[in-house]
Amino acid sequence: MAALSRSPPLLLLLSSLCLWSSVTVLGVKVASGPVELPKQPDVRAVEPAAKDAPVAVAAGASPPRRASGWKLAEEEACREDLTRLCPKQTWTNNLAVLECLQDRREETELAPDCNHLLWNYKLNLTTDPKFESVATEVCRSTIAEIKECNEEERGRGYLVSCLVDHRGNISEYQCNQYITKITSIIFSDYRLICGFMDKCKEDINSLRCGSISVGQKDPHSQGEVISCLERALVRQAEQQDRGHPIKEECQKAILRVAELSSDDFHLDRHLYFACRDDRERFCPNVQAGEGKVYKCLFNHKFEEAMSEKCRDALTTRQKLISQDYRVSYSLAKACKLDLRKQRCSLDTSLPRAREARLSYLLLCLEAAVHRGRPVSGECQGEMLDFRRLLMEDFSLSPEIVLHCRTEIEAQCSGLHRKGRTLHCLMRLGRGDRSSAVDNICQNALQTLIQSADPGADYRIDRALNEACESVIQTACKHIRSGDPMILSCLMEHLYTEKMVEDCEHRLLELQYFISRDWKLDPILYRKCQGDAARLCHTHGWNETSELMPPGAVFSCLYRHAYRTEEQGRRVIPDEQLSRDCKVEVQRILHQRALDVKLDPELQKRCMTDLGKWCSEKTDTGQELECLQDHLEDLVSNCREIVGNLTELESEDIQIDALLIRACEPVIQAHCHDVADNQVDTGDLMECLVQNKHQKEMNDKCAVGVTHFQLIQMKDFRFSYKFKMACKEDVLRLCPNIKKKVDVVICLSTTVRNDTLQDVREQRVSVKCRKQLRVEELEMSEDIRLEPELYEPCKSDISRLCPNVAFGNAQMIECLKEQKKQLSQRCHQRIFKLQEVEMSDPELDYQLMRVCKQMIKRFCTEADARNVLQCLKQNKNSELMDPKCKQMITKRQITQNTDYRLNPVLRKACRADIPKFCQSILNKANEDSELEGQIIACLKLKYADQRLSPDCEDQIRVILQESALDYRLDPQLQMHCSDEISRLCAEEAAAQEQTGQVEECLKGNLLKIKQEACKKEVLNMLKESKADIFVDPVLHTACALDLKHHCAAITPGRGRQMSCLMEALQDKRIRLQPECKKRLQDRIDMWSYAAKVAPAESFSDLAVQVMTSPSKNYILLMMALSVCVLFLVGLLCGRITKRVTRELKNR
């Protein structure tokens, strides 16, 4: 204000400094006590000085005297009031008497004559040009200390004006008292301020704010006139009163008066009388001066004990401060130097009134603080107080009152205290479906949030502070109070057990607006302001650009944060974010993913789709999941941004904070290494998928991981590692294919074809093939990840497996077990799946999961495609896990239903199958099992010893396996199920199958009624003759005899069986009793089999002979028979020839 000292003198003391006033100069006595002005007003001399002043001396007053010892207390007009209202010790001091009488309580009335006397006395004081002489004498040392005042020109009233401006710096007691008293005199009546009446006379009349003539109103209550004008000015700013606009020069005068009364609340007469009791109640120990009482009352404004009259008066003053910051003494004083230093009053593009606005001052100084420029702590403290006031009371922002009036009246009435109305508007601004605010109100809210800047200190938002106090004390107690990281900490604990509901609502309401202006997050702004200016062409903190609005800056930053060379771009160092900025961008992304409303661009583009597809999805995180689920149905703009966000999630799954929280136990146990990495690049999600079956995996985590896997199926770009590894391959080999499952099929088919054709160089790159393997393994875990399988089997799933979970391939396993009851389309797909799994066991999720440890134990050196073969070979090991053994048996049963499900057999017998079993192939269906018919055909040819060596080896293995477990022989199980239930139920119920069912059937051969079953048992007997290993019971009984008597005999083709038969017939050899008994049983069975099933052709007969253990004996007998026949023929021929000759000779 000292800067204005060259302009017309302060309105406060204008009347006292008007040089045209003709007054009588009286002596001034300077005492050691309070300043005394011992003069008696000459009413007649005063009359011309103030046009509207009383003309006559009050009735009953003593005649005017020019004595220097004149006292107000001696005047008859005021003696009664003085005796009644003022203590005796004040009677000797005219100013003390004046203060006592004019600061009386409202209910106390003064006599009219006393009122007039006091008013004339004050008018004389304020119009005396010798005030400057008094000031020079009383304030001599102070003037010398204050350089600005010492240099002021004398005789024009500037000295007193300067002293008023610097009264906060006056340490000299008498001078301070003098300046304070003189100031207080003037504010008891607006008419005593020179020029105020002239500037505002018309407005006072038009607004009916009071009388300017004596007699109609108590002259000492004329402070009400100023209060009325102030309220009218506030209403005009809020456009509530358009009928009587206040003239600009009167507006300036009103604000100037308010500014000059900012030091001492006694000077605001209306507020003083309205808040006198409240001051005693709330601020009894606060001394007047420097705006301290105002600040104290502001802090208690919303206390229950605060009177409504005082609260209204305080609100009016706060509204004036919002129009002109200089109305706050403490703020103007604390920030005076900072405003100059930061050049906050030099913007020539703005009107002068705009520069005085509190919001402009706050924005300008906040910009300096955020840029790291020095702003004094005292000024920052004052800014903090007023930012808190803005958040507490919406009515202090004219724009809010003006533009949000409808919403306040309809939705937020009765919530004005402690920031509740503002938070109600913020809730509506978030776009809750029950109601919403228009764009103008939304912009007003955004402007207020920017001015208050609660992101820099959560305590500014009282509603948030009170709602979240308990959460801060428990979850964020390690962070210093007021630190911006408190808000970040609260966001990290959103939707956790430590969060309370009220805090959650207040936090999201505030974050909604912070998320729409990147500058409102002070940590982000501090770390990224250089990057934003360089890459996103941003301007200053409180400046905006149409080309890069605040909401678009963050989008620009995260695009640069996730721009890598692997994405096909050549990264220029100047286009990369700094490390600190990238960390902050990731932090913000992680927090904003909690709620779609915290992503301004997403909410804007997807508002229609949210209402259309996701109106029922109101729980935490459900809206984004819903949009992802309906990705194909979204409008193009929404689909694009949801796709981009999903692509970002695939690169950094920690953006999905809810999923990460749900999966914390699994991450800590199995994925902590990749979780600690600075850059994720999809490793964490891959780890979670691989550990879905672990005991630490809870339902929430499993559902979240599976959902993300399902979303990834919609577009291969949603799998970051797959996209990076196979992008070029996809463009080259699978153009125009977008869905991930189709891309995987396309690339897998290419790899398979190249492998089968033994091409020199694979068309799919090595890194893509590796990642392709990962994707195939992940897809095998859940049927929903394979749409081509899931869609045809939906009805079968609901019909046959309604209570089976999808995860861990359990649904696929259920469908396999119910294979015979599946619909045709589903059956075909399951058969195709099994064919792929058998050729590549790694894709058999259940097998790999159940037998994981056994694979490590037995098959570490085996090729991935031979894992099942390796497990089968070690199936009967004592170290084999029972669950794994059971799973292996399941897979063996499946393999034996069709030769196509056994790739090793298929390859070994590729020439034998069409040669011996073509008739079966001709009847076969491409997509359904042959129920073991081909294998049964090959078994018969094995018994006939007609197979190729490779095929014979594979069939021998199958025969050996099925001889131990009847379930591995589909033909036997199909034809003999009833007989097994009837004759061998006990053996079939045994947990461990060691051939007892087959032995039971053989022993009960004569009791079998079904011809088909009997034929299968006879075939078993026939097969056992070809190789003793096919008969495990006989082989076990004769193991020692084989070692002693047939060790040199090569296994196969019945050779060892023939050896045992010869040993049985040789009386010199003594076989083990059990072996001898079993052999004799087998001979009886074979004899019966020969009777029951004689050879149907000569070839069958020849095979039976050749495969018989007594073939040498049979062949010898046959040879003897032929010889006998030959000799008989010769003999008969000779006799016949002789007889014929004799007949001819006759």
Side-chain angles (χ1 to χ4, degrees):
M1 287 184 285
L4 303 174
S5 59
R6 296 302 175 191
S7 59
L10 297 174
L11 291 174
L12 170 65
L13 296 173
L14 229 89
S15 61
S16 68
L17 304 174
C18 293
L19 298 178
W20 52 266
S21 300
S22 172
V23 293
T24 302
V25 179
L26 300 175
V28 177
K29 176 184 177 183
V30 180
S32 60
V35 177
E36 177 68 44
L37 298 178
K39 65 178 182 177
Q40 186 265 347
D42 186 344
V43 177
R44 287 169 296 184
V46 167
E47 288 175 7
K51 301 174 185 178
D52 301 302
V55 178
V57 178
S62 301
R65 292 176 295 169
R66 296 187 181 274
S68 61
W70 181 85
K71 303 290 183 184
L72 269 174
E74 297 174 358
E75 292 297 324
E76 188 67 30
C78 291
R79 187 170 299 160
E80 183 182 346
D81 295 313
L82 188 67
T83 305
R84 180 165 48 91
L85 299 173
C86 302
K88 275 192 175 182
Q89 61 265 28
T90 64
W91 291 6
T92 58
N93 189 314
N94 284 347
L95 292 182
V97 171
L98 179 63
E99 184 177 16
C100 170
L101 291 176
Q102 73 176 12
D103 287 355
R104 74 197 184 286
R105 293 190 175 275
E106 286 182 327
E107 63 272 10
T108 307
E109 294 291 337
L110 291 180
D113 292 341
C114 182
N115 263 331
H116 292 315
L117 179 66
L118 293 176
W119 188 82
N120 278 284
Y121 174 66
K122 290 187 294 183
L123 185 61
N124 268 334
L125 292 177
T126 58
T127 55
D128 192 339
K130 289 301 180 179
F131 267 151
E132 188 171 294
S133 299
V134 177
T136 303
E137 184 175 350
V138 175
C139 300
R140 184 180 292 111
S141 60
T142 299
I143 294 171
E145 291 173 2
I146 302 175
K147 184 178 178 182
E148 293 180 19
C149 298
N150 196 29
E151 295 175 351
E152 292 290 357
E153 183 181 351
R154 299 295 191 270
R156 300 188 61 186
Y158 289 139
L159 176 61
V160 176
S161 175
C162 180
L163 288 172
V164 170
D165 278 345
H166 289 84
R167 63 184 182 274
N169 298 324
I170 297 175
S171 57
E172 192 176 358
Y173 179 74
Q174 290 182 349
C175 180
N176 194 306
Q177 287 286 307
Y178 172 73
I179 295 298
T180 300
K181 293 296 183 183
I182 292 304
T183 307
S184 66
I185 291 171
I186 295 171
F187 285 92
S188 64
D189 195 325
Y190 75 98
R191 291 175 299 179
L192 299 182
I193 304 171
C194 183
F196 182 85
M197 184 179 63
D198 296 332
K199 294 175 181 177
C200 294
K201 183 176 181 179
E202 292 181 13
D203 297 295
I204 291 172
N205 286 326
S206 63
L207 293 167
R208 301 183 182 276
C209 282
S211 171
I212 55 173
S213 60
V214 180
Q216 297 183 25
K217 215 164 192 181
D218 176 6
H220 292 278
S221 70
Q222 291 301 305
E224 294 290 338
V225 176
I226 295 177
S227 173
C228 175
L229 290 172
E230 289 175 344
R231 290 194 297 271
L233 182 60
V234 168
R235 288 197 305 271
Q236 181 171 312
E238 297 170 356
Q239 293 188 15
Q240 291 183 351
D241 187 2
R242 302 184 183 183
H244 303 285
I246 301 175
K247 292 186 300 183
E248 186 175 350
E249 61 178 5
C250 183
Q251 291 183 34
K252 292 180 179 178
I254 295 169
L255 289 173
R256 186 63 174 149
V257 169
E259 176 187 346
L260 293 172
S261 64
S262 64
D263 179 19
D264 189 346
F265 93 114
H266 290 88
L267 306 183
D268 187 333
R269 304 306 295 171
H270 172 74
L271 187 142
Y272 169 75
F273 285 116
C275 296
R276 190 159 42 180
D277 292 338
D278 297 284
R279 186 265 173 97
E280 293 301 322
R281 186 181 301 114
F282 296 111
C283 313
N285 300 320
V286 179
Q287 287 190 338
E290 300 185 4
K292 292 178 181 178
V293 176
Y294 286 127
K295 289 186 68 174
C296 176
L297 291 172
F298 287 163
N299 290 335
H300 293 87
K301 175 180 168 182
F302 289 115
E303 298 288 342
E304 294 294 334
M306 175 69 72
S307 66
E308 285 297 328
K309 195 172 183 180
C310 180
R311 185 179 292 121
D312 292 340
L314 291 172
T315 300
T316 299
R317 186 156 194 92
Q318 289 176 327
K319 290 179 178 181
L320 291 174
I321 294 173
S322 71
Q323 292 193 44
D324 190 337
Y325 71 89
R326 289 168 295 198
V327 176
S328 170
Y329 176 84
S330 57
L331 179 64
K333 178 186 175 184
C335 297
K336 185 175 182 179
L337 294 177
D338 294 291
L339 287 170
R340 290 179 182 174
K341 191 183 300 181
Q342 306 303 334
R343 304 173 69 85
C344 291
S345 301
L346 300 177
D347 192 344
T348 56
S349 64
L350 295 173
R352 180 70 187 168
R354 167 74 185 276
E355 291 182 3
R357 292 292 295 273
L358 176 63
S359 60
Y360 178 78
L361 172 141
L362 292 176
L363 288 173
C364 180
L365 292 179
E366 284 166 14
V369 172
H370 286 296
R371 289 171 182 155
R373 296 177 183 175
V375 174
S376 67
E378 186 181 2
C379 180
Q380 289 194 47
E382 289 294 328
M383 289 167 59
L384 184 67
D385 289 339
F386 281 96
R387 284 155 57 195
R388 186 183 292 115
L389 288 178
L390 288 175
M391 289 296 293
E392 277 190 7
D393 192 345
F394 75 96
S395 65
L396 303 187
S397 172
E399 292 81 7
I400 297 292
V401 176
L402 172 62
H403 301 305
C404 300
R405 186 177 299 132
T406 304
E407 289 80 1
I408 293 172
E409 293 173 355
Q411 305 285 342
C412 307
S413 59
L415 299 171
H416 63 283
R417 296 186 178 183
K418 299 181 181 180
R420 292 172 189 160
T421 299
L422 187 59
H423 267 277
C424 175
L425 290 172
M426 291 161 69
R427 174 178 58 79
L428 299 176
R430 284 186 72 221
D432 287 354
R433 296 183 182 91
S434 59
S435 56
V437 299
D438 59 30
N439 290 334
I440 301 177
C441 178
Q442 187 92 352
N443 293 336
L445 285 169
Q446 190 70 45
T447 302
L448 176 62
I449 299 298
Q450 186 180 7
S451 300
D453 193 18
D457 189 338
Y458 73 96
R459 296 172 298 180
I460 291 169
D461 189 341
R462 185 171 177 178
L464 174 71
N465 189 16
E466 292 182 358
C468 297
E469 186 177 2
S470 61
V471 184
I472 293 170
Q473 292 300 321
T474 55
C476 310
K477 59 184 178 182
H478 60 286
I479 304 176
R480 178 178 56 84
S481 180
D483 193 292
M485 283 303 295
I486 291 284
L487 277 183
S488 182
C489 173
L490 289 173
M491 286 299 294
E492 288 170 5
H493 289 86
L494 195 63
Y495 306 126
T496 64
E497 294 179 355
K498 293 183 178 180
M499 180 58 64
V500 296
E501 185 178 4
D502 195 29
C503 177
E504 176 184 309
H505 293 325
R506 302 295 86 77
L507 181 62
L508 286 175
E509 287 158 7
L510 177 61
Q511 283 290 347
Y512 174 83
F513 288 90
I514 291 178
S515 67
R516 275 145 182 79
D517 189 344
W518 75 289
K519 302 184 298 260
L520 297 183
D521 188 312
I523 305 171
L524 176 68
Y525 183 80
R526 186 171 68 249
K527 298 289 181 67
C528 294
Q529 56 180 320
D531 298 278
R534 176 167 48 88
L535 300 173
C536 308
H537 312 292
T538 58
H539 298 278
W541 190 86
N542 58 334
E543 300 172 10
T544 57
S545 166
E546 292 183 2
L547 297 176
M548 186 60 68
V553 176
F554 185 73
S555 298
C556 169
L557 289 174
Y558 81 62
R559 282 196 300 272
H560 284 87
Y562 289 90
R563 178 176 290 179
T564 63
E565 282 189 31
E566 290 182 332
Q567 289 175 293
R569 309 180 183 94
R570 186 174 65 86
V571 177
I572 302 171
D574 290 343
E575 293 184 0
Q576 287 183 308
L577 291 186
S578 63
R579 182 178 178 182
D580 289 344
C581 180
K582 184 171 183 178
V583 169
E584 286 307 309
V585 169
Q586 290 175 330
R587 173 182 69 85
I588 298 297
L589 277 175
H590 296 170
Q591 293 176 358
R592 292 186 183 176
L594 295 170
D595 192 325
V596 294
K597 296 184 182 69
L598 298 183
D599 189 327
E601 199 67 20
L602 177 66
Q603 190 191 24
K604 179 182 176 182
R605 294 196 192 183
C606 297
M607 186 61 73
T608 303
D609 288 303
L610 281 169
K612 183 177 181 180
W613 303 108
C614 311
S615 57
E616 303 298 324
K617 305 290 185 178
T618 56
D619 289 346
T620 305
Q622 283 189 341
E623 288 180 311
L624 180 57
E625 289 184 1
C626 173
L627 290 174
Q628 291 173 330
D629 289 337
H630 291 87
L631 187 65
E632 297 87 349
D633 305 318
L634 304 179
V635 296
S636 58
N637 283 342
C638 179
R639 184 167 59 246
E640 179 184 3
I641 193 166
V642 173
N644 290 339
L645 181 58
T646 308
E647 196 172 349
L648 277 181
E649 281 188 353
S650 73
E651 181 177 353
D652 182 5
I653 193 58
Q654 296 195 51
I655 290 175
D656 192 343
L658 294 175
L659 176 63
I660 296 302
R661 287 175 192 168
C663 297
E664 189 65 28
V666 188
I667 294 173
Q668 291 299 323
H670 304 284
C671 307
H672 57 88
D673 293 337
V674 293
D676 294 338
N677 291 343
Q678 182 90 24
V679 182
D680 185 355
T681 64
D683 293 325
L684 183 55
M685 176 53 73
E686 188 174 291
C687 177
L688 289 173
V689 171
Q690 292 171 355
N691 290 279
K692 281 177 72 174
H693 62 280
Q694 299 291 350
K695 62 181 180 181
E696 294 84 2
M697 177 65 69
N698 55 58
D699 292 339
K700 284 186 177 179
C701 180
V703 169
V705 172
T706 301
H707 175 265
F708 196 76
Q709 287 181 282
L710 294 172
I711 298 304
Q712 286 180 328
M713 292 296 106
K714 297 177 182 290
D715 194 322
F716 79 95
R717 295 180 300 121
F718 296 165
S719 297
Y720 180 75
K721 299 189 78 171
F722 182 57
K723 176 184 69 176
M724 291 296 100
C726 297
K727 187 173 183 179
E728 295 178 0
D729 300 270
V730 172
L731 292 174
R732 181 165 42 87
L733 300 171
C734 311
N736 304 322
I737 299 179
K738 188 175 182 180
K739 285 189 175 182
K740 179 182 173 182
V741 64
D742 296 332
V743 172
V744 170
I745 291 172
C746 170
L747 293 176
S748 299
T749 303
T750 305
V751 171
R752 186 185 63 186
N753 292 340
D754 289 348
T755 303
L756 293 176
Q757 295 171 13
D758 293 327
V759 297
R760 181 176 297 178
E761 185 176 351
Q762 290 268 0
R763 287 175 288 174
V764 179
S765 63
V766 176
K767 65 177 182 179
C768 181
R769 290 203 301 272
K770 289 181 179 178
Q771 193 59 37
L772 185 63
R773 165 60 49 170
V774 173
E775 300 300 330
E776 289 175 332
L777 293 176
E778 289 182 3
M779 289 168 63
S780 67
E781 185 266 339
D782 194 322
I783 190 173
R784 293 171 297 180
L785 301 179
E786 298 188 61
E788 289 193 346
L789 174 62
Y790 181 54
E791 292 300 327
C793 293
K794 270 186 177 179
S795 59
D796 299 274
I797 289 172
S798 58
R799 179 169 53 90
L800 301 172
C801 311
N803 300 318
V804 179
F806 282 97
N808 286 339
Q810 294 177 77
M811 186 61 71
I812 296 175
E813 197 67 22
C814 175
L815 293 175
K816 289 176 181 177
E817 292 171 358
Q818 305 281 348
K819 189 164 55 176
K820 293 182 179 180
Q821 302 178 49
L822 298 178
S823 62
Q824 184 178 359
R825 287 183 64 218
C826 182
H827 190 283
Q828 291 173 351
R829 292 294 181 184
I830 290 293
F831 178 78
K832 286 290 186 185
L833 173 67
Q834 289 179 318
E835 191 174 357
V836 172
E837 288 178 348
M838 293 303 176
S839 62
D840 190 351
E842 270 194 320
L843 299 180
D844 189 339
Y845 188 89
Q846 277 281 16
L847 175 70
M848 301 303 290
R849 183 181 70 84
V850 175
C851 296
K852 184 177 182 179
Q853 297 303 322
M854 297 301 102
I855 292 172
K856 289 181 179 179
R857 175 173 293 173
F858 297 111
C859 308
T860 51
E861 298 180 0
D863 183 77
R865 295 182 180 274
N866 296 326
V867 167
L868 181 57
Q869 197 71 16
C870 169
L871 290 172
K872 284 159 61 176
Q873 293 169 359
N874 294 276
K875 173 183 172 183
N876 296 315
S877 169
E878 293 180 357
L879 299 175
M880 178 58 69
D881 176 63
K883 290 183 178 179
C884 180
K885 185 174 182 178
Q886 186 179 4
M887 182 60 65
I888 296 169
T889 301
K890 282 186 178 182
R891 296 301 178 257
Q892 287 180 298
I893 293 171
T894 300
Q895 276 192 329
N896 290 348
T897 59
D898 197 301
Y899 77 100
R900 291 168 293 184
L901 301 180
N902 190 334
V904 178
L905 174 68
R906 187 175 185 178
K907 182 177 180 181
C909 300
R910 60 180 177 271
D912 301 84
I913 292 172
K915 180 178 179 182
F916 300 113
C917 312
Q918 187 62 48
S919 59
I920 301 174
L921 290 176
N922 293 337
K923 301 175 184 178
N925 191 326
E926 184 179 350
D927 297 323
S928 61
E929 295 87 340
L930 296 171
E931 298 299 340
Q933 294 180 62
I934 294 291
I935 295 177
C937 169
L938 293 174
K939 285 179 181 179
L940 291 174
K941 302 307 173 186
Y942 172 84
D944 296 343
Q945 300 178 1
R946 299 172 64 182
L947 299 177
S948 62
D950 290 341
C951 186
E952 186 176 282
D953 291 340
Q954 292 303 316
I955 292 297
R956 183 185 304 113
V957 172
I958 291 174
L959 285 169
Q960 291 170 357
E961 292 170 348
S962 58
L964 292 170
D965 192 338
Y966 76 98
R967 296 171 297 176
L968 301 185
D969 188 337
Q971 287 289 310
L972 178 67
Q973 192 174 14
M974 181 171 63
H975 296 304
C976 296
S977 57
D978 294 337
E979 301 293 350
I980 292 173
S981 301
R982 184 170 60 87
L983 301 172
C984 311
E986 186 177 344
E987 290 81 355
Q991 189 171 2
E992 188 73 18
Q993 291 294 321
T994 55
Q996 59 267 48
V997 173
E998 289 87 340
E999 194 66 21
C1000 171
L1001 290 173
K1002 292 173 184 176
N1004 291 283
L1005 181 59
L1006 298 176
K1007 298 179 182 179
I1008 294 175
K1009 298 178 180 178
Q1010 296 181 8
E1011 290 299 322
C1013 179
K1014 187 178 290 186
K1015 184 177 180 181
E1016 288 301 321
V1017 176
L1018 292 173
N1019 286 338
M1020 276 198 301
L1021 290 169
K1022 181 179 178 182
E1023 291 155 7
S1024 65
K1025 289 172 64 178
D1027 197 332
I1028 193 172
F1029 289 101
V1030 177
D1031 192 337
V1033 176
L1034 180 62
H1035 182 265
T1036 302
C1038 299
L1040 288 175
D1041 298 294
L1042 282 172
K1043 185 176 181 181
H1044 291 155
H1045 308 296
C1046 307
I1049 306 298
T1050 306
R1053 297 186 177 271
R1055 287 185 285 266
Q1056 288 189 332
M1057 185 67 77
S1058 298
C1059 173
L1060 287 175
M1061 294 298 292
E1062 291 173 0
L1064 179 63
Q1065 293 172 1
D1066 191 339
K1067 294 181 180 181
R1068 294 172 299 174
I1069 299 174
R1070 296 183 60 183
L1071 297 176
Q1072 295 291 325
E1074 183 66 20
C1075 178
K1076 188 173 182 179
K1077 179 179 178 299
R1078 292 291 181 186
L1079 273 175
Q1080 194 59 53
D1081 291 341
R1082 294 298 183 266
I1083 291 172
D1084 295 340
M1085 289 180 186
W1086 292 331
S1087 301
Y1088 178 74
K1091 294 176 182 177
V1092 174
E1096 297 177 357
S1097 63
F1098 181 78
S1099 60
D1100 288 340
L1101 179 62
V1103 169
Q1104 284 188 6
V1105 171
M1106 296 302 295
T1107 57
S1108 171
S1110 305
K1111 71 174 183 180
N1112 292 334
Y1113 174 75
I1114 295 172
L1115 289 175
L1116 177 61
M1117 295 305 295
M1118 288 176 66
L1120 288 174
S1121 299
V1122 170
C1123 291
V1124 169
L1125 287 174
F1126 181 71
L1127 292 174
V1128 170
L1130 286 177
L1131 182 60
C1132 291
R1134 288 178 179 274
I1135 295 171
T1136 304
K1137 187 176 181 180
R1138 185 183 305 152
V1139 171
T1140 304
R1141 189 182 301 127
E1142 288 177 355
L1143 288 173
K1144 285 182 179 180
N1145 292 335
R1146 290 178 185 177

